[in-house]
Amino acid sequence: MQFFSELYALIFGPIQLVFEILFSVLNKHIPVSGLNIMLLSLVFSLIVLPLYMRADKIQEEAREAEDRLGPVIKHIKQYFKGDERFMILQTYYRQNNYSPLSVLKSSVSLLLQIPFFLAAYRMLSNNTYLVGRSFGPIQDLGSPDAMLAIGSVTVNVLPFIMTAVNLISAAVYANKMPAKSKIQLLIMAALFLVLLYNSPSGMVLYWTCNNLFSLIKNIVMKLVSKKKTAPKASKAKAKKEGAKASKSSKGLFVFSCIACAVLAGIYLPMTVLASAPEEFVDMQSLANPMTYVIDSAVKGIGLFILWPSVFYAMASEKGKKIIASVMFALSVSIVVNAHFFSNGFGTMSDVLVYDVAPVFTVRNGLISLGATVGAVVIAILIAKFGNSIATVIALSMTLVFAGLGISKTGTINQGFADAKKACTVNDPEFTLSRNGKNVVVIMLDRALGPMVPYLFGENESLNKSFDGFTYYRNTVSYGAYTNFATPSMYGGYEYTPEKINERANETLAEKQNEAVKVMPVMFASQGFKSTVINPSYAGYKWNSDLTVFDGLENVSAYNTLFRYVPVDYGKAYKATIMRNLFCYSLYKGAPVFVQKYLYDNGSYNDTKIPDWSTAPQVRSGMSVSYGHNKEFEAEYWAVNSLDKMTKIDEGTSNNYLFYCSRITHEDSYLKEPEYAPADHVDNTLFDKANQKRFRNNGKMMLMLDDLDYCHYQINMAGLMSVAKWLDYLKANGCYDNTRIILVSDHGFGLANFPDLMEYGLESPIDAEWFTPLLMVKDFGSHGSLKTSEEFMTNADTPLLAAQGVIDNPTNPFTGKKLTFDAKQGEQKIFYSGEWNVSKNNGNTFKPGMWYSVKEDIWKKENWKYLGGK
């Protein structure tokens, strides 16, 4: 099955992709789908016109040869038999440069139609732009037209119109052809009537237009075919000169095509996969991301080698030189744009969609256009006047980028191995007792502290669930991303970015692994049973490497990953990544003014109607979405399964739990007010009726785009999911004897709070990056949510967890006592976009910007810019 899928991708996939891009772009600008089908048919008819003209010429030459040689062949077959007949025929064929297989040339035009027909059928038969769209008398382009009703029976009229056009076209085209050719065309007309009778009317409209344009072409060709035939000597001379020209352009054409295929099918896909390979591993089926590269390579071969070769083979000799030059210029253009004009748009999801929509500026577009035109002109001049030089350049690009792409294989395979390593065999479980002491630290990755009052304001039931909690509004983190912010949250003030960099003789991974073990080892050494679940960047891996906890007494470690997800999203996500990965390569290699249309807000011009129950989520505006974010739902269902992981001990055991969840990190639209995943989310009415939820104590939280709404919703989902577990603890009698800390590693720069926008600094920063969640419930604490203005940092977490439970809590690795003293005075905060631990993994963090803050993060005068280093 996989073989046939890749075969389709090789032969028909490139045509279907071009169909989808053109049709999607047309529908973005012309909101009449029926008209766009006609335009699509016209555009493709013009694109393939040279092929069909050449095919017609080949067929004509084949028929002439048959007519010329036919009488002699008939005579030989009549008077000779057996081997003698065979030898005479072979000699005759050789003398006349003829092969019996030449009879197939009469079917070239038909063979060319098949891939274009199948690609169009696949694209238009399940098209989001056609369902429910009318055009003239056609009520639904996504269904059979049913324009004529006879009693209770409906008749599809459009297929008969299509067949009429086919028959007229056949009559014009086969006017002077033998009866065999005419019968062949009539059979094809009847066959298409049967095949397309119950097809969507949009597909039938396309094929009708296609045949209509073919009829017009045939009529025009008949009118201009009366030109004089060149003398045989002239033809022979032209053929000889053409063969020489063809030979000189062949090498350039071959290596230019291969260079384009390598760039778009291997190098660019492997570059993006190698940037964060573990993110592209399907953790439900544990599929190696290299399968995506194979698919992209096949598509690259089809688009840049197979089909250009078809055009090249059927082109005139002058056309072959032009095609070779065009392919060389295209390969140079891809290199220029991929490396200079498609970077700096931020992080992407595993389906190749940017977290923040990229802005394609006019300035960059003009610069890119100038650079592209310059590169193309130079390439064409080199190809024209220095063919051998151009061939060497094309060959060099092929070898260099193939080598660079293949060199990333090890990184991708290692990421896959790390992902497999992160899968724990046993289901996660932890113990809490009814009569001992339990300490629980729940890290909600990127949860936003300043949102808490607004979330509790909307959902009053949270106050009941979070009985006895104190919310620390004035809390800062020491970094804007997990790799900078978690060490101090795990281990305290010895692991701030400044202190991490001071230990320059140790790797960042070693210091991260030490920090992540501080609390579990500290509690385990005091007789607590310690459990760690999903510790971020343990082993300095995206999916936590739990081997860092091997050999630790009384410490158990688990990963939840996709263990609790009730739906298998793997197949749909795999199909999306495969398509998007190759389209991403095309987008990367295109000039800026084209990139906007190829990226298409992250949909990459996909026109098919997905199964939204498993398809990746697509957002529309600030209230509507279709599909699911599987990464969010893996975290959502895991947190909602905390009760299943909990083992209640009736005795007096002491227990420590660290649980990390990215539920507040993976942005997703959720159905309101349940704040739960759904196939189709439409919060339009709810959002319009509940804008007051974004005002608290006279302060407005700015909600300006889809990311703002996503993060509000996932933060609400995070608190509601934890609340469900808190209620479970109360029902099972182990709430009062449990200290619970909710904390996040850092915030996120969404510009929701004007008071945190430090634009007056020399290097402006949105301080919301450094505003983590911090909420604490102590033993026996009760009452509605209290708000504290005490200055806190998330590096207070280890001591908040241990104080009053462990005498003189000490870092088990350095021997230093945990205190709050280090947060007195100015705190040095680090910002850098180098969040990827596969790249930022030396002994010290790569340079970034340093800020300081003291006492109150909400006062602009308390922030300073310290410089970049």
Side-chain angles (χ1 to χ4, degrees):
M1 195 67 183
Q2 182 64 31
F3 170 77
F4 290 108
S5 176
E6 295 300 342
L7 187 63
Y8 181 92
L10 175 69
I11 301 174
F12 308 106
I15 303 173
Q16 183 177 335
L17 180 60
V18 176
F19 267 128
E20 289 173 339
I21 293 172
L22 286 176
F23 193 57
S24 177
V25 171
L26 284 171
N27 276 281
K28 297 287 192 307
H29 294 84
I30 304 173
V32 184
S33 294
L35 179 59
N36 290 329
I37 290 173
M38 299 172 72
L39 289 173
L40 181 69
S41 178
L42 175 61
V43 170
F44 252 83
S45 294
L46 293 174
I47 290 174
V48 300
L49 182 60
L51 281 183
Y52 284 133
M53 290 178 66
R54 179 60 179 158
D56 291 344
K57 189 173 182 181
I58 291 173
Q59 289 181 206
E60 183 181 349
E61 291 172 352
R63 284 193 298 271
E64 288 177 356
E66 285 184 54
D67 293 341
R68 178 167 49 84
L69 302 178
V72 177
I73 294 173
K74 182 178 179 181
H75 177 79
I76 293 171
K77 288 181 177 180
Q78 182 177 354
Y79 291 100
F80 299 94
K81 294 181 180 180
D83 292 341
E84 186 180 16
R85 176 202 285 180
F86 176 79
M87 295 300 294
I88 294 173
L89 282 174
Q90 291 300 309
T91 302
Y92 185 64
Y93 292 154
R94 187 171 61 254
Q95 289 173 343
N96 290 275
N97 296 316
Y98 180 79
S99 168
L101 294 177
S102 297
V103 70
L104 296 176
K105 292 181 179 180
S106 61
S107 303
V108 170
S109 185
L110 174 61
L111 292 173
L112 279 175
Q113 290 187 54
I114 293 174
F116 291 95
F117 170 77
L118 289 177
Y121 187 87
R122 185 90 173 259
M123 192 270 286
L124 292 171
S125 294
N126 184 31
N127 195 296
T128 185
Y129 290 109
L130 300 186
V131 176
R133 304 286 182 93
S134 63
F135 182 64
I138 303 172
Q139 297 302 309
D140 184 357
L141 288 167
S143 303
D145 63 82
M147 283 193 283
L148 181 63
I150 305 174
S152 60
V153 179
T154 58
V155 178
N156 300 324
V157 176
L158 201 54
F160 290 102
I161 297 175
M162 175 196 72
T163 304
V165 174
N166 275 351
L167 293 173
I168 295 171
S169 182
V172 173
Y173 181 68
N175 186 28
K176 295 182 180 181
M177 290 185 183
K180 180 179 69 173
S181 297
K182 293 178 180 178
I183 293 172
Q184 186 184 61
L185 291 172
L186 292 174
I187 292 173
M188 289 305 300
L191 181 61
F192 275 109
L193 173 63
V194 173
L195 288 175
L196 296 181
Y197 182 76
N198 287 312
S199 295
S201 52
M203 174 62 209
V204 183
L205 177 62
Y206 169 82
W207 202 243
T208 303
C209 292
N210 211 53
N211 291 324
L212 181 61
F213 295 139
S214 178
L215 171 61
I216 295 170
K217 179 208 74 173
N218 290 335
I219 293 173
V220 172
M221 292 300 293
K222 289 287 183 182
L223 293 175
V224 300
S225 64
K226 296 180 180 180
K227 63 181 181 178
K228 293 182 179 180
T229 304
K232 290 184 178 180
S234 300
K235 284 185 177 182
K237 183 179 179 182
K239 187 174 182 180
K240 185 176 180 181
E241 291 176 353
K244 184 178 179 181
S246 173
K247 186 176 180 180
S248 65
S249 66
K250 190 173 183 180
L252 176 61
F253 170 76
V254 169
F255 290 121
S256 296
C257 288
I258 296 174
C260 290
V262 166
L263 283 162
I266 297 176
Y267 169 70
L268 291 174
M270 293 193 77
T271 298
V272 70
L273 292 179
S275 66
E278 291 178 64
E279 292 192 52
F280 293 97
V281 176
D282 176 12
M283 298 303 293
Q284 285 184 288
S285 64
L286 279 181
N288 192 324
M290 285 300 296
T291 57
Y292 304 141
V293 179
I294 295 171
D295 182 76
S296 288
V298 169
K299 290 173 179 174
I301 292 170
L303 183 61
F304 294 109
I305 297 179
L306 176 64
W307 281 104
S309 295
V310 172
F311 278 84
Y312 184 83
M314 300 186 70
S316 65
E317 305 309 331
K318 183 179 178 181
K320 289 179 179 178
K321 292 188 70 175
I322 293 173
I323 293 173
S325 297
V326 168
M327 293 306 298
F328 177 61
L330 179 61
S331 64
V332 173
S333 174
I334 292 173
V335 172
V336 170
N337 285 291
H339 290 86
F340 299 105
F341 298 105
S342 57
N343 301 306
F345 290 134
T347 56
M348 304 186 84
S349 71
D350 58 353
V351 290
L352 287 305
V353 178
Y354 288 105
D355 291 344
V356 179
V359 178
F360 303 98
T361 64
V362 175
R363 178 177 178 275
N364 286 344
L366 291 174
I367 295 172
S368 169
L369 177 61
T372 302
V373 170
V376 167
V377 168
I378 293 171
I380 292 175
L381 290 174
I382 293 174
K384 184 174 182 180
F385 298 106
N387 187 279
S388 59
I389 296 174
T391 303
V392 171
I393 293 173
L395 174 60
S396 300
M397 286 193 296
T398 299
L399 295 175
V400 168
F401 288 106
L404 289 174
I406 294 171
S407 69
K408 301 179 187 299
T409 303
T411 302
I412 297 172
N413 285 332
Q414 184 58 53
F416 176 58
D418 291 339
K420 287 201 299 182
K421 193 176 180 181
C423 296
T424 51
V425 176
N426 299 320
D427 288 338
E429 64 176 27
F430 55 87
T431 300
L432 297 180
S433 68
R434 284 197 171 106
N435 300 300
K437 288 187 176 181
N438 306 308
V439 177
V440 175
V441 176
I442 298 178
M443 171 186 154
L444 298 179
D445 195 336
R446 206 165 77 180
L448 294 162
M451 279 191 181
V452 169
Y454 301 85
L455 299 170
F456 273 72
E458 177 188 341
N459 190 340
E460 294 182 359
S461 68
L462 291 176
N463 273 296
K464 182 179 179 181
S465 296
F466 284 87
D467 178 29
F469 273 83
T470 297
Y471 158 60
Y472 291 92
R473 176 176 176 270
N474 186 23
T475 302
V476 72
S477 67
Y478 287 92
Y481 289 96
T482 302
N483 55 329
F484 311 120
T486 52
S488 56
M489 188 208 72
Y490 286 140
Y493 291 95
E494 292 182 74
Y495 301 95
T496 64
E498 181 183 21
K499 297 296 184 183
I500 288 279
N501 281 350
E502 287 177 2
R503 294 168 59 178
N505 293 327
E506 303 165 73
T507 66
L508 291 173
E510 290 170 340
K511 289 173 277 193
Q512 176 82 11
N513 292 339
E514 180 180 296
V516 79
K517 291 185 287 188
V518 166
M519 284 192 283
V521 171
M522 179 174 63
F523 279 97
S525 67
Q526 300 299 312
F528 280 68
K529 182 179 181 181
S530 292
T531 304
V532 180
I533 301 177
N534 304 330
S536 282
Y537 286 171
Y540 237 40
K541 303 294 182 183
W542 176 258
N543 292 305
S544 305
D545 178 4
L546 302 181
T547 60
V548 302
F549 299 97
D550 287 353
L552 297 181
E553 188 176 352
N554 247 357
V555 178
S556 300
Y558 304 91
N559 283 325
T560 56
L561 299 175
F562 282 79
R563 193 180 300 269
Y564 299 98
V565 180
V567 179
D568 184 359
Y569 296 113
K571 185 176 179 181
Y573 264 76
K574 182 179 179 181
T576 301
I577 294 173
M578 280 185 168
R579 185 185 186 280
N580 287 4
L581 183 59
F582 184 67
C583 291
Y584 167 81
S585 296
L586 299 181
Y587 143 78
K588 283 279 288 184
V592 170
F593 67 91
V594 178
Q595 288 176 2
K596 177 182 178 181
Y597 299 102
L598 293 180
Y599 180 69
D600 190 30
N601 294 318
S603 75
Y604 295 98
N605 299 290
D606 194 356
T607 61
K608 70 176 180 294
I609 303 172
D611 176 1
W612 292 119
S613 66
T614 57
Q617 188 173 86
V618 175
R619 301 196 288 264
S620 176
M622 292 189 285
S623 299
V624 178
S625 73
Y626 298 86
H628 297 259
N629 181 336
K630 69 181 178 71
E631 301 294 338
F632 169 81
E633 294 191 21
E635 303 295 332
Y636 175 85
W637 292 111
V639 178
N640 280 274
S641 299
L642 279 170
D643 56 338
K644 298 182 179 66
M645 303 180 214
T646 309
K647 306 299 177 185
I648 304 298
D649 174 21
E650 302 289 344
T652 59
S653 65
N654 295 328
N655 302 281
Y656 165 78
L657 168 67
F658 175 86
Y659 181 92
C660 174
S661 173
R662 292 202 287 259
I663 189 174
T664 46
H665 185 283
E666 305 300 332
D667 46 295
S668 176
Y669 272 179
L670 304 172
K671 184 180 179 182
E672 297 171 331
E674 298 89 347
Y675 293 94
D679 296 350
H680 173 46
V681 170
D682 189 349
N683 295 324
T684 305
L685 296 178
F686 185 89
D687 287 342
K688 185 177 180 180
N690 290 275
Q691 286 296 302
K692 63 181 181 180
R693 60 186 163 156
F694 302 129
R695 181 176 293 278
N696 182 271
N697 290 331
K699 295 285 186 178
M700 194 72 184
M701 180 170 64
L702 304 181
M703 304 293 285
L704 304 176
D705 58 27
D706 60 329
L707 273 182
D708 293 330
Y709 278 88
C710 274
H711 282 80
Y712 183 86
Q713 290 169 17
I714 61 178
N715 274 265
M716 178 69 88
L719 290 181
M720 289 174 66
S721 298
V722 171
K724 174 185 170 184
W725 184 64
L726 297 180
D727 293 339
Y728 169 83
L729 296 184
K730 294 170 189 172
N732 284 274
C734 51
Y735 188 76
D736 284 350
N737 64 320
T738 302
R739 174 181 288 168
I740 304 171
I741 300 171
L742 255 65
V743 64
S744 65
D745 46 351
H746 55 84
F748 192 41
L750 292 171
N752 295 133
F753 305 97
D755 290 345
L756 292 173
M757 298 178 195
E758 312 302 339
Y759 292 147
L761 300 178
E762 181 182 343
S763 181
I765 190 75
D766 178 7
E768 193 177 356
W769 281 106
F770 313 111
T771 54
L773 170 71
L774 182 60
M775 297 172 66
V776 180
K777 182 203 81 72
D778 212 344
F779 301 111
S781 179
H782 291 283
S784 298
L785 183 72
K786 301 179 182 67
T787 299
S788 171
E789 295 295 337
E790 180 184 354
F791 180 60
M792 303 290 283
T793 80
N794 57 0
D796 291 329
T797 303
L799 187 51
L800 287 172
Q803 65 181 352
V805 176
I806 298 175
D807 293 333
N808 296 317
T810 302
N811 184 329
F813 299 100
T814 65
K816 293 183 179 179
K817 185 178 178 181
L818 300 180
T819 71
F820 295 124
D821 297 343
K823 69 178 178 182
Q824 305 304 316
E826 292 187 345
Q827 304 299 302
K828 291 185 71 173
I829 311 298
F830 183 63
Y831 178 85
S832 167
E834 296 284 353
W835 56 268
N836 192 333
V837 293
S838 66
K839 296 179 180 178
N840 196 353
N841 58 6
N843 286 11
T844 59
F845 293 122
K846 291 183 177 180
M849 294 180 291
W850 292 89
Y851 297 86
S852 72
V853 66
K854 62 178 182 179
E855 298 176 357
D856 190 343
I857 65 171
W858 294 89
K859 292 183 178 179
K860 293 182 181 294
E861 61 269 22
N862 288 352
W863 285 88
K864 293 180 182 178
Y865 173 62
L866 302 178
K869 57 180 180 180

